[in-house]
Short mmCIF file of all heavy atoms in Angstrom, two decimals:
data_model
loop_
_atom_site.label_atom_id
_atom_site.label_comp_id
_atom_site.label_asym_id
_atom_site.label_seq_id
_atom_site.Cartn_x
_atom_site.Cartn_y
_atom_site.Cartn_z
N GLY O 284 208.93 -171.28 -47.46
CA GLY O 284 208.63 -171.09 -48.88
C GLY O 284 208.96 -172.37 -49.74
O GLY O 284 209.28 -172.18 -50.78
N GLY O 285 208.88 -173.48 -49.09
CA GLY O 285 209.01 -174.66 -49.83
C GLY O 285 210.24 -175.53 -49.55
O GLY O 285 210.46 -176.53 -50.32
N SER O 286 210.97 -175.27 -48.54
CA SER O 286 212.28 -176.08 -48.26
C SER O 286 211.79 -177.29 -47.48
O SER O 286 210.71 -177.45 -46.98
CB SER O 286 213.20 -175.23 -47.41
OG SER O 286 213.71 -174.18 -48.25
N ASP O 287 212.80 -178.26 -47.35
CA ASP O 287 212.49 -179.55 -46.84
C ASP O 287 213.42 -179.93 -45.71
O ASP O 287 214.57 -179.72 -45.82
CB ASP O 287 212.61 -180.57 -47.98
CG ASP O 287 212.14 -181.96 -47.72
OD1 ASP O 287 211.72 -182.22 -46.51
OD2 ASP O 287 212.09 -182.81 -48.65
N ASN O 288 212.80 -180.43 -44.63
CA ASN O 288 213.58 -180.84 -43.44
C ASN O 288 213.48 -182.33 -43.14
O ASN O 288 213.71 -182.73 -42.00
CB ASN O 288 213.26 -180.01 -42.26
CG ASN O 288 211.94 -180.27 -41.68
OD1 ASN O 288 211.05 -180.73 -42.40
ND2 ASN O 288 211.71 -179.99 -40.38
N HIS O 289 213.00 -183.15 -44.13
CA HIS O 289 212.86 -184.56 -43.75
C HIS O 289 213.97 -185.42 -44.02
O HIS O 289 214.89 -185.07 -44.94
CB HIS O 289 211.59 -185.13 -44.51
CG HIS O 289 211.98 -185.83 -45.85
ND1 HIS O 289 212.28 -185.21 -46.96
CD2 HIS O 289 212.03 -187.13 -46.01
CE1 HIS O 289 212.61 -186.12 -47.84
NE2 HIS O 289 212.47 -187.30 -47.32
N VAL O 290 214.17 -186.57 -43.36
CA VAL O 290 215.04 -187.56 -43.72
C VAL O 290 214.19 -188.87 -43.72
O VAL O 290 214.16 -189.69 -44.72
CB VAL O 290 216.13 -187.78 -42.64
CG1 VAL O 290 216.89 -189.10 -42.87
CG2 VAL O 290 217.19 -186.66 -42.74
N ARG O 291 213.34 -189.14 -42.72
CA ARG O 291 212.40 -190.27 -42.71
C ARG O 291 211.04 -189.90 -43.30
O ARG O 291 210.49 -189.01 -42.86
CB ARG O 291 212.28 -190.73 -41.26
CG ARG O 291 213.45 -191.44 -40.64
CD ARG O 291 213.20 -192.03 -39.31
NE ARG O 291 212.75 -191.08 -38.37
CZ ARG O 291 211.82 -191.23 -37.37
NH1 ARG O 291 211.17 -192.40 -37.31
NH2 ARG O 291 211.54 -190.27 -36.54
N HIS O 292 210.65 -190.67 -44.28
CA HIS O 292 209.40 -190.41 -44.83
C HIS O 292 208.25 -190.68 -43.87
O HIS O 292 207.12 -190.14 -43.94
CB HIS O 292 209.18 -191.36 -46.13
CG HIS O 292 209.92 -190.85 -47.23
ND1 HIS O 292 209.59 -189.72 -47.91
CD2 HIS O 292 210.95 -191.44 -47.98
CE1 HIS O 292 210.40 -189.52 -48.96
NE2 HIS O 292 211.29 -190.44 -49.04
N GLY O 293 208.51 -191.70 -42.93
CA GLY O 293 207.47 -192.17 -42.10
C GLY O 293 207.17 -191.17 -40.84
O GLY O 293 206.57 -191.65 -39.92
N SER O 294 207.77 -190.02 -40.81
CA SER O 294 207.50 -189.14 -39.65
C SER O 294 207.15 -187.77 -40.09
O SER O 294 207.68 -187.31 -41.13
CB SER O 294 208.83 -188.99 -38.85
OG SER O 294 208.68 -188.04 -37.75
N ASP O 295 206.25 -187.19 -39.43
CA ASP O 295 205.82 -185.79 -39.76
C ASP O 295 206.71 -184.83 -39.14
O ASP O 295 206.62 -183.53 -39.38
CB ASP O 295 204.41 -185.44 -39.51
CG ASP O 295 204.08 -185.50 -38.07
OD1 ASP O 295 204.92 -185.91 -37.22
OD2 ASP O 295 202.91 -185.01 -37.66
N MET O 296 207.74 -185.20 -38.29
CA MET O 296 208.75 -184.39 -37.70
C MET O 296 209.90 -184.39 -38.47
O MET O 296 210.49 -185.40 -38.92
CB MET O 296 208.94 -184.73 -36.24
CG MET O 296 207.74 -184.53 -35.25
SD MET O 296 207.36 -182.87 -35.11
CE MET O 296 205.99 -183.15 -33.91
N GLY O 297 210.56 -183.28 -38.75
CA GLY O 297 211.72 -183.09 -39.46
C GLY O 297 213.06 -183.13 -38.70
O GLY O 297 213.02 -183.25 -37.36
N VAL O 298 214.30 -183.00 -39.30
CA VAL O 298 215.46 -183.14 -38.57
C VAL O 298 216.04 -181.79 -38.34
O VAL O 298 217.19 -181.61 -37.82
CB VAL O 298 216.35 -183.99 -39.34
CG1 VAL O 298 215.94 -185.38 -39.44
CG2 VAL O 298 216.60 -183.37 -40.80
N ALA O 299 215.34 -180.72 -38.66
CA ALA O 299 215.78 -179.26 -38.40
C ALA O 299 214.64 -178.48 -38.01
O ALA O 299 213.51 -178.77 -38.47
CB ALA O 299 216.45 -178.71 -39.63
N SER O 300 214.78 -177.48 -37.17
CA SER O 300 213.69 -176.61 -36.73
C SER O 300 214.03 -175.19 -37.19
O SER O 300 215.20 -174.75 -37.27
CB SER O 300 213.51 -176.62 -35.22
OG SER O 300 213.28 -177.92 -34.81
N LEU O 301 212.90 -174.50 -37.54
CA LEU O 301 213.10 -173.10 -37.85
C LEU O 301 212.45 -172.32 -36.60
O LEU O 301 211.36 -172.67 -36.08
CB LEU O 301 212.38 -172.66 -39.02
CG LEU O 301 212.81 -173.27 -40.31
CD1 LEU O 301 211.98 -172.84 -41.58
CD2 LEU O 301 214.25 -172.98 -40.68
N ILE O 302 213.11 -171.27 -36.21
CA ILE O 302 212.71 -170.59 -34.97
C ILE O 302 212.57 -169.01 -35.54
O ILE O 302 213.57 -168.47 -35.89
CB ILE O 302 213.64 -170.56 -33.81
CG1 ILE O 302 213.96 -171.99 -33.46
CG2 ILE O 302 213.03 -169.87 -32.63
CD1 ILE O 302 214.86 -172.23 -32.34
N ILE O 303 211.30 -168.58 -35.47
CA ILE O 303 210.99 -167.21 -35.88
C ILE O 303 210.73 -166.34 -34.64
O ILE O 303 209.96 -166.69 -33.80
CB ILE O 303 209.75 -167.24 -36.78
CG1 ILE O 303 209.89 -168.28 -38.00
CG2 ILE O 303 209.54 -165.76 -37.32
CD1 ILE O 303 211.12 -167.95 -38.89
N PHE O 304 211.60 -165.27 -34.53
CA PHE O 304 211.43 -164.36 -33.50
C PHE O 304 210.67 -163.17 -33.72
O PHE O 304 210.74 -162.73 -34.89
CB PHE O 304 212.86 -163.96 -32.95
CG PHE O 304 213.60 -165.14 -32.25
CD1 PHE O 304 214.39 -166.01 -33.06
CD2 PHE O 304 213.56 -165.37 -30.97
CE1 PHE O 304 215.12 -167.02 -32.54
CE2 PHE O 304 214.25 -166.44 -30.32
CZ PHE O 304 215.00 -167.34 -31.16
N LEU O 305 209.95 -162.68 -32.89
CA LEU O 305 209.14 -161.45 -33.09
C LEU O 305 210.12 -160.16 -33.40
O LEU O 305 209.63 -159.28 -34.15
CB LEU O 305 208.29 -161.09 -31.88
CG LEU O 305 207.25 -159.96 -31.99
CD1 LEU O 305 206.28 -160.45 -33.04
CD2 LEU O 305 206.61 -159.79 -30.68
N ASP O 306 211.36 -160.22 -32.92
CA ASP O 306 212.20 -159.12 -33.23
C ASP O 306 212.86 -159.18 -34.59
O ASP O 306 213.78 -158.24 -34.89
CB ASP O 306 213.19 -158.97 -32.06
CG ASP O 306 214.14 -160.30 -32.06
OD1 ASP O 306 214.14 -161.06 -32.97
OD2 ASP O 306 214.91 -160.29 -31.13
N GLY O 307 212.54 -160.16 -35.41
CA GLY O 307 213.10 -160.26 -36.75
C GLY O 307 214.24 -161.31 -36.89
O GLY O 307 214.53 -161.71 -38.05
N ARG O 308 214.68 -161.87 -35.81
CA ARG O 308 215.69 -162.91 -35.95
C ARG O 308 215.08 -164.20 -36.45
O ARG O 308 213.98 -164.56 -36.12
CB ARG O 308 216.27 -163.12 -34.48
CG ARG O 308 217.54 -164.14 -34.53
CD ARG O 308 217.97 -164.28 -33.15
NE ARG O 308 219.25 -165.07 -33.05
CZ ARG O 308 219.65 -165.62 -31.88
NH1 ARG O 308 219.05 -165.45 -30.73
NH2 ARG O 308 220.76 -166.36 -31.99
N LYS O 309 215.91 -164.98 -37.40
CA LYS O 309 215.43 -166.17 -37.91
C LYS O 309 216.55 -167.17 -37.80
O LYS O 309 217.62 -166.96 -38.18
CB LYS O 309 215.08 -166.01 -39.42
CG LYS O 309 214.01 -165.01 -39.74
CD LYS O 309 213.68 -165.02 -41.20
CE LYS O 309 214.85 -164.68 -42.18
NZ LYS O 309 214.34 -164.75 -43.56
N VAL O 310 216.26 -168.26 -37.10
CA VAL O 310 217.22 -169.25 -36.73
C VAL O 310 216.80 -170.64 -37.28
O VAL O 310 215.64 -171.03 -37.29
CB VAL O 310 217.48 -169.35 -35.21
CG1 VAL O 310 218.27 -170.58 -34.81
CG2 VAL O 310 218.03 -168.05 -34.64
N VAL O 311 217.83 -171.33 -37.78
CA VAL O 311 217.64 -172.79 -38.07
C VAL O 311 218.45 -173.49 -37.11
O VAL O 311 219.67 -173.23 -36.84
CB VAL O 311 218.09 -173.15 -39.53
CG1 VAL O 311 219.56 -172.72 -39.78
CG2 VAL O 311 217.82 -174.64 -39.91
N PHE O 312 217.84 -174.49 -36.40
CA PHE O 312 218.39 -175.17 -35.29
C PHE O 312 218.42 -176.68 -35.67
O PHE O 312 217.34 -177.36 -35.81
CB PHE O 312 217.42 -175.00 -34.06
CG PHE O 312 217.94 -175.62 -32.76
CD1 PHE O 312 219.10 -175.24 -32.17
CD2 PHE O 312 217.21 -176.71 -32.26
CE1 PHE O 312 219.48 -175.78 -30.97
CE2 PHE O 312 217.74 -177.30 -31.09
CZ PHE O 312 218.73 -176.89 -30.45
N THR O 313 219.63 -177.28 -35.75
CA THR O 313 219.76 -178.64 -36.12
C THR O 313 221.05 -179.22 -35.70
O THR O 313 221.95 -178.45 -35.12
CB THR O 313 219.64 -178.77 -37.72
OG1 THR O 313 219.47 -180.11 -38.07
CG2 THR O 313 220.75 -178.14 -38.38
N SER O 314 221.26 -180.48 -35.96
CA SER O 314 222.50 -181.14 -35.49
C SER O 314 223.64 -180.94 -36.55
O SER O 314 223.46 -180.57 -37.67
CB SER O 314 222.29 -182.55 -35.43
OG SER O 314 222.17 -183.31 -36.60
N ASN O 315 224.91 -181.24 -36.11
CA ASN O 315 226.00 -181.27 -37.00
C ASN O 315 225.85 -182.17 -38.20
O ASN O 315 226.58 -181.98 -39.21
CB ASN O 315 227.22 -181.46 -36.24
CG ASN O 315 227.35 -182.87 -35.66
OD1 ASN O 315 226.49 -183.27 -34.93
ND2 ASN O 315 228.45 -183.64 -35.90
N ILE O 316 225.05 -183.21 -38.07
CA ILE O 316 224.81 -184.16 -39.23
C ILE O 316 224.07 -183.34 -40.40
O ILE O 316 224.40 -183.50 -41.45
CB ILE O 316 223.96 -185.29 -38.86
CG1 ILE O 316 224.65 -186.14 -37.64
CG2 ILE O 316 223.66 -186.26 -40.00
CD1 ILE O 316 223.75 -187.21 -37.12
N GLU O 317 223.02 -182.60 -39.92
CA GLU O 317 222.15 -182.13 -40.99
C GLU O 317 222.53 -180.68 -41.34
O GLU O 317 222.07 -180.30 -42.51
CB GLU O 317 220.72 -182.12 -40.37
CG GLU O 317 220.22 -183.34 -39.70
CD GLU O 317 220.17 -184.58 -40.65
OE1 GLU O 317 220.15 -184.31 -41.84
OE2 GLU O 317 220.13 -185.65 -40.15
N ALA O 318 223.25 -180.00 -40.67
CA ALA O 318 223.47 -178.57 -40.89
C ALA O 318 224.08 -178.32 -42.30
O ALA O 318 223.55 -177.37 -42.99
CB ALA O 318 224.42 -177.93 -39.84
N PRO O 319 225.12 -179.03 -42.77
CA PRO O 319 225.64 -178.73 -44.04
C PRO O 319 224.66 -178.82 -45.16
O PRO O 319 224.53 -177.87 -46.04
CB PRO O 319 226.74 -179.77 -44.23
CG PRO O 319 227.12 -180.11 -42.84
CD PRO O 319 225.88 -180.08 -42.19
N ARG O 320 223.94 -179.86 -45.31
CA ARG O 320 222.96 -179.99 -46.38
C ARG O 320 221.76 -178.92 -46.29
O ARG O 320 221.32 -178.36 -47.29
CB ARG O 320 222.35 -181.41 -46.44
CG ARG O 320 221.50 -181.62 -47.75
CD ARG O 320 220.66 -182.83 -47.63
NE ARG O 320 219.42 -182.70 -46.81
CZ ARG O 320 218.42 -181.97 -47.30
NH1 ARG O 320 218.31 -181.41 -48.47
NH2 ARG O 320 217.38 -181.87 -46.37
N ILE O 321 221.29 -178.83 -45.04
CA ILE O 321 220.15 -177.94 -44.85
C ILE O 321 220.53 -176.51 -45.30
O ILE O 321 219.77 -175.83 -45.96
CB ILE O 321 219.68 -177.92 -43.35
CG1 ILE O 321 219.04 -179.30 -42.99
CG2 ILE O 321 218.77 -176.77 -43.10
CD1 ILE O 321 217.70 -179.46 -43.63
N MET O 322 221.68 -176.10 -44.95
CA MET O 322 222.19 -174.77 -45.16
C MET O 322 222.58 -174.52 -46.71
O MET O 322 222.32 -173.54 -47.32
CB MET O 322 223.31 -174.32 -44.27
CG MET O 322 222.87 -174.20 -42.84
SD MET O 322 221.46 -173.12 -42.44
CE MET O 322 222.20 -171.54 -42.89
N ASP O 323 223.11 -175.66 -47.20
CA ASP O 323 223.59 -175.53 -48.62
C ASP O 323 222.36 -175.63 -49.61
O ASP O 323 222.22 -174.80 -50.54
CB ASP O 323 224.56 -176.73 -48.96
CG ASP O 323 225.92 -176.45 -48.33
OD1 ASP O 323 226.16 -175.33 -47.86
OD2 ASP O 323 226.81 -177.40 -48.30
N GLU O 324 221.55 -176.66 -49.35
CA GLU O 324 220.44 -176.91 -50.38
C GLU O 324 219.05 -176.40 -50.03
O GLU O 324 218.24 -176.31 -50.93
CB GLU O 324 220.38 -178.57 -50.56
CG GLU O 324 221.68 -179.03 -51.07
CD GLU O 324 221.56 -180.58 -51.29
OE1 GLU O 324 220.62 -181.17 -50.89
OE2 GLU O 324 222.55 -181.07 -51.93
N GLU O 325 218.80 -176.17 -48.78
CA GLU O 325 217.34 -175.84 -48.44
C GLU O 325 217.23 -174.32 -48.08
O GLU O 325 216.30 -173.60 -48.49
CB GLU O 325 216.94 -176.65 -47.38
CG GLU O 325 216.97 -178.18 -47.50
CD GLU O 325 216.04 -178.65 -48.67
OE1 GLU O 325 215.07 -177.74 -48.99
OE2 GLU O 325 216.10 -179.74 -49.25
N LEU O 326 218.18 -173.71 -47.31
CA LEU O 326 218.02 -172.43 -46.74
C LEU O 326 219.05 -171.45 -47.08
O LEU O 326 219.03 -170.32 -46.56
CB LEU O 326 217.84 -172.61 -45.19
CG LEU O 326 216.83 -173.49 -44.65
CD1 LEU O 326 216.95 -173.62 -43.13
CD2 LEU O 326 215.39 -172.89 -45.07
N GLY O 327 219.92 -171.85 -47.93
CA GLY O 327 220.96 -170.86 -48.26
C GLY O 327 220.36 -169.64 -48.96
O GLY O 327 219.56 -169.74 -49.86
N GLY O 328 220.90 -168.50 -48.60
CA GLY O 328 220.37 -167.17 -49.15
C GLY O 328 219.10 -166.71 -48.55
O GLY O 328 218.58 -165.63 -49.07
N LEU O 329 218.40 -167.34 -47.62
CA LEU O 329 217.20 -166.96 -47.12
C LEU O 329 217.28 -166.20 -45.75
O LEU O 329 216.22 -165.84 -45.14
CB LEU O 329 216.29 -168.19 -46.83
CG LEU O 329 215.86 -168.89 -48.07
CD1 LEU O 329 214.87 -170.05 -47.77
CD2 LEU O 329 215.16 -167.95 -49.13
N GLY O 330 218.50 -165.98 -45.31
CA GLY O 330 218.66 -165.07 -44.10
C GLY O 330 218.55 -165.82 -42.84
O GLY O 330 218.45 -165.12 -41.81
N PHE O 331 218.81 -167.09 -42.73
CA PHE O 331 218.66 -167.82 -41.51
C PHE O 331 219.89 -167.90 -40.81
O PHE O 331 220.97 -168.38 -41.57
CB PHE O 331 218.00 -169.29 -41.71
CG PHE O 331 216.55 -169.29 -41.95
CD1 PHE O 331 216.01 -169.15 -43.26
CD2 PHE O 331 215.65 -169.30 -40.81
CE1 PHE O 331 214.60 -169.12 -43.33
CE2 PHE O 331 214.34 -169.22 -41.04
CZ PHE O 331 213.73 -169.21 -42.30
N GLU O 332 219.98 -167.73 -39.48
CA GLU O 332 221.25 -167.91 -38.78
C GLU O 332 221.31 -169.44 -38.26
O GLU O 332 220.29 -169.94 -37.86
CB GLU O 332 221.14 -166.99 -37.50
CG GLU O 332 222.19 -167.36 -36.50
CD GLU O 332 221.91 -166.53 -35.16
OE1 GLU O 332 221.10 -165.61 -35.24
OE2 GLU O 332 222.54 -166.78 -34.17
N LEU O 333 222.40 -170.00 -38.32
CA LEU O 333 222.60 -171.38 -37.96
C LEU O 333 222.91 -171.61 -36.56
O LEU O 333 223.92 -170.93 -36.06
CB LEU O 333 223.62 -172.09 -38.92
CG LEU O 333 223.92 -173.63 -38.47
CD1 LEU O 333 222.73 -174.51 -38.62
CD2 LEU O 333 225.18 -174.08 -39.22
N VAL O 334 222.25 -172.29 -35.77
CA VAL O 334 222.64 -172.71 -34.46
C VAL O 334 222.55 -174.28 -34.45
O VAL O 334 221.52 -174.84 -34.64
CB VAL O 334 221.68 -172.19 -33.35
CG1 VAL O 334 222.01 -172.75 -31.91
CG2 VAL O 334 221.66 -170.77 -33.32
N GLN O 335 223.81 -174.92 -34.29
CA GLN O 335 223.76 -176.28 -34.33
C GLN O 335 224.42 -176.85 -33.07
O GLN O 335 224.95 -176.14 -32.26
CB GLN O 335 224.68 -176.75 -35.50
CG GLN O 335 226.12 -176.49 -35.44
CD GLN O 335 226.93 -176.96 -36.63
OE1 GLN O 335 226.72 -178.08 -37.05
NE2 GLN O 335 227.80 -176.10 -37.20
N TYR O 336 224.14 -178.19 -32.80
CA TYR O 336 224.60 -178.94 -31.68
C TYR O 336 225.07 -180.31 -32.20
O TYR O 336 224.85 -180.78 -33.21
CB TYR O 336 223.37 -179.16 -30.74
CG TYR O 336 222.13 -179.75 -31.38
CD1 TYR O 336 222.03 -181.15 -31.41
CD2 TYR O 336 221.10 -179.01 -31.98
CE1 TYR O 336 220.95 -181.75 -31.99
CE2 TYR O 336 220.09 -179.65 -32.57
CZ TYR O 336 219.98 -180.98 -32.65
OH TYR O 336 218.86 -181.62 -33.19
N GLN O 337 225.85 -180.85 -31.34
CA GLN O 337 226.39 -182.21 -31.53
C GLN O 337 225.38 -183.30 -31.49
O GLN O 337 224.69 -183.39 -30.46
CB GLN O 337 227.56 -182.59 -30.68
CG GLN O 337 228.74 -181.44 -30.86
CD GLN O 337 229.34 -181.42 -32.20
OE1 GLN O 337 229.67 -182.38 -32.66
NE2 GLN O 337 229.42 -180.18 -32.78
#
Side-chain angles (χ1 to χ4, degrees):
S286 295
D287 192 352
N288 68 336
H289 96 280
V290 169
R291 289 187 297 146
H292 285 293
S294 174
D295 66 346
M296 293 293 179
V298 296
S300 302
L301 297 181
I302 307 177
I303 307 299
F304 291 87
L305 192 61
D306 64 8
R308 188 182 181 195
K309 302 188 299 184
V310 169
V311 56
F312 182 69
T313 191
S314 73
N315 62 304
I316 301 174
E317 313 298 342
R320 192 196 72 80
I321 292 289
M322 295 305 294
D323 288 347
E324 297 183 347
E325 302 295 343
L326 299 174
L329 295 181
F331 284 92
E332 168 192 349
L333 174 65
V334 175
Q335 65 178 316
Y336 54 88
Q337 299 299 309

